[in-house]
Amino acid sequence: FPLPLSLLRIEICKQALSGGEVCKVVWNRVWGPLFDGMCERTSRAEEFDAFGLRSFKLRLDVADRLPPAILAAFAELVMLKNGSYGSPNEESLPSTKSVQQAALRSANECFIAVDCARRAGSSHLTLQGVSLTLKLVSRLLQYRTKPPILLSLLTKCATCLEAFDPTEEQMTWYAKARVMATYLFHHIAVLCVQLRQKSALARQLEKDVPKRYSPHSLADVGAQVTANARLLDQALELALLGSSSWQFAEQKVGVALKDVASEDLARMLKDIADREYIKVAKEAAQRLLDEEAVRHPLTLALMRSAVTRTWEKEETREALAMVLEKHPMREELDNLLAERRKGFTQFGFLLRSLPLVCLQLEQEKPNDVQDASGDVKVECQPDAVDVVAPSDGGAAPSGEEVPPGELRQPPAKQLEQHDDSTGLAQLE
């Protein structure tokens, strides 16, 4: 059978891309006719206020008649063309309009490749296209207020993933694909909340079936642990949105904690969704201080979320003070804070504008002295300054005994070895 002209042009374009600047002339002559034959310019109404994200679209009359082999080859070529965009040597955030438009135009081409891969029935190409699209717009997603135009792109990517239901072999939804899906739906949730479109979020989550997150029996354990951790983060995010999103969070919790005996964590997530923050703070504090209890690392994050929303309540402050006073890593955290505070006091004068809020001087202690007449006078003496040994020396602070021949690790090293260090520092 003769080779189709489209496949021939695609192969020539691949060779031109591999040749670099030497084959740039050949690329310009071949890529233009190929892209014009597969895609078309959108109308002014469709392109309005899109900043290049809806500049082109797939020709449906052509795509419906093409065999899957040509669609898959074209999708692979487009991803190969845009794969070099967003390299680490470029600026961290697209702060100018021209750079943002360049990123959105590349994302537009990548979504066309995702549509071609979906029509060709190639699940792996579709996942690669969605991953590359998220990579191209990842720098725009780092903004606190994300561009609203990205919601349409992310929802279309999620819709393309619906075409591939999980099978018994689970070859499509491997661990990295599950992590990518949680990243995609996280930003969809953030944009829907930002634009106050909670109804649109519910429609998107209805198609995010929990079966796609169920691992295969032969899956890599380490990668699956990472995927389950991201899934629990998304469940906590949905629980914080309220009881209306709890049904979706409950499904994800059931998958992530399938092989873990952690009924308390699911119950606390349900209380978070029901806005019972004080109850969550008390229960999480008890679980954190119970040495015999088996608790999940997310317990401290639940307490932080509850304390953040009810910090003015007396009951919440009592639970917070109890954790900060009795947690096993409290001494290491206090030592680290004292070390950092002394360093700031010594070198803070180098700043042009010294933040006085962070500057804390030594306070004097009153000392009662009785004179000859019998009257009691109060004299103030400065506190003794504890000299902290350098962190690289490995010596222990004064007042603590260390067994002979054993060096004490600095506070930062000790905190790195504990799972609760980040959450405990946030509570502090």
Side-chain angles (χ1 to χ4, degrees):
F1 298 97
L3 183 67
L5 185 60
S6 299
L7 276 181
L8 181 60
R9 288 176 174 174
I10 290 172
E11 292 298 327
I12 295 175
C13 287
K14 288 181 179 180
Q15 294 298 324
L17 280 177
S18 61
E21 293 292 334
V22 180
C23 303
K24 189 175 181 179
V25 178
V26 179
W27 166 263
N28 294 332
R29 293 181 57 184
V30 181
W31 169 250
L34 175 64
F35 189 78
D36 293 339
M38 298 288 294
C39 306
E40 61 181 348
R41 189 86 183 194
T42 57
S43 62
R44 288 189 176 182
E46 293 175 326
E47 193 179 359
F48 176 74
D49 201 23
F51 298 100
L53 188 58
R54 294 193 295 263
S55 299
F56 296 93
K57 62 181 180 180
L58 190 65
R59 292 181 181 270
L60 299 182
D61 54 340
V62 176
D64 292 339
R65 293 184 286 107
L66 289 178
I70 297 180
L71 292 174
F74 180 72
E76 186 177 355
L77 173 64
V78 174
M79 286 187 283
L80 187 64
K81 172 181 177 291
N82 294 277
S84 59
Y85 183 83
S87 56
N89 57 353
E90 298 186 15
E91 61 180 12
S92 58
L93 288 176
S95 55
T96 60
K97 187 176 180 180
S98 59
V99 178
Q100 292 176 359
Q101 285 183 341
L104 292 177
R105 289 193 188 99
S106 297
N108 179 210
E109 293 183 3
C110 281
F111 179 73
I112 292 176
V114 171
D115 194 10
C116 290
R118 180 188 62 84
R119 292 173 178 272
S122 176
S123 58
H124 289 282
L125 270 181
T126 304
L127 290 172
Q128 291 176 9
V130 173
S131 178
L132 182 58
T133 305
L134 293 177
K135 175 188 174 183
L136 293 176
V137 298
S138 61
R139 295 184 297 168
L140 292 174
L141 293 173
Q142 294 178 9
Y143 285 105
R144 183 179 296 273
T145 302
K146 308 180 190 308
I149 189 63
L150 294 180
L151 180 60
S152 61
L153 176 66
L154 299 182
T155 52
K156 289 178 181 178
C157 290
T159 304
C160 290
L161 296 181
E162 296 173 6
F164 306 101
D165 295 330
T167 59
E168 295 180 358
E169 290 78 12
Q170 297 288 334
M171 293 301 295
T172 301
W173 293 99
Y174 51 95
K176 291 184 178 180
R178 299 186 186 101
V179 173
M180 184 200 67
T182 54
Y183 176 82
L184 172 62
F185 281 96
H186 159 70
H187 287 293
I188 289 177
V190 172
L191 280 167
C192 287
V193 172
Q194 175 183 315
L195 299 175
R196 299 180 181 180
Q197 299 288 338
K198 289 188 67 175
S199 59
L201 175 61
R203 290 195 294 269
Q204 290 292 326
L205 293 175
E206 286 176 357
K207 301 298 183 180
D208 188 25
V209 293
K211 186 180 178 182
R212 89 174 28 158
Y213 299 101
S214 299
H216 190 265
S217 58
L218 300 178
D220 181 62
V221 177
Q224 190 54 40
V225 168
T226 304
N228 287 340
R230 302 290 80 78
L231 192 61
L232 279 177
D233 292 341
Q234 188 180 21
L236 174 58
E237 180 183 49
L238 296 177
L240 290 173
L241 294 179
S243 56
S244 60
S245 302
W246 170 243
Q247 56 176 337
F248 308 111
E250 186 178 14
Q251 295 174 354
K252 299 181 185 300
V253 169
V255 175
L257 301 178
K258 183 178 180 181
D259 300 329
V260 180
S262 187
E263 295 81 4
D264 297 336
L265 182 62
R267 184 173 64 254
M268 285 190 289
L269 283 171
K270 179 66 168 62
D271 294 336
I272 285 282
D274 295 337
R275 302 290 194 266
E276 297 181 4
Y277 300 123
I278 298 179
K279 181 180 177 182
V280 173
K282 290 182 177 180
E283 186 175 356
Q286 295 177 358
R287 301 289 297 179
L288 287 171
L289 300 179
D290 190 358
E291 298 180 358
E292 298 181 357
V294 179
R295 60 180 178 85
H296 196 274
L298 196 64
T299 305
L300 194 57
L302 291 177
M303 182 177 180
R304 183 185 60 82
S305 300
V307 169
T308 304
R309 288 158 177 80
T310 57
W311 62 270
E312 72 281 358
K313 303 294 183 181
E314 187 64 26
E315 299 176 349
T316 305
R317 293 187 178 184
E318 293 177 358
L320 176 60
M322 183 173 59
V323 172
L324 293 179
E325 291 175 2
K326 300 181 180 180
H327 195 275
M329 300 301 295
R330 68 190 184 280
E331 295 182 2
E332 286 74 10
L333 182 60
D334 292 341
N335 294 335
L336 179 64
L337 292 176
E339 198 176 281
R340 295 293 187 267
R341 188 180 294 114
K342 288 182 180 180
F344 180 82
T345 305
Q346 294 172 2
F347 300 100
F349 68 93
L350 296 175
L351 299 176
R352 183 183 295 273
S353 177
L354 181 63
L356 299 180
V357 178
C358 300
L359 183 60
Q360 296 182 3
L361 300 178
E362 300 291 342
Q363 301 196 0
E364 300 178 348
K365 294 181 179 180
N367 188 15
D368 296 341
V369 179
Q370 188 173 3
D371 58 1
S373 61
D375 297 334
V376 177
K377 295 183 178 181
V378 178
E379 295 182 358
C380 293
Q381 296 180 357
D383 289 345
V385 178
D386 295 333
V387 179
V388 181
S391 59
D392 56 351
S398 60
E400 296 186 11
E401 297 183 358
V402 179
E406 181 179 349
L407 295 178
R408 181 183 178 87
Q409 291 183 343
K413 291 293 184 182
Q414 298 182 38
L415 291 172
E416 288 177 0
Q417 300 172 3
H418 204 279
D419 296 335
D420 293 344
S421 300
T422 302
L424 190 63
Q426 293 172 349
L427 284 178
E428 181 72 31

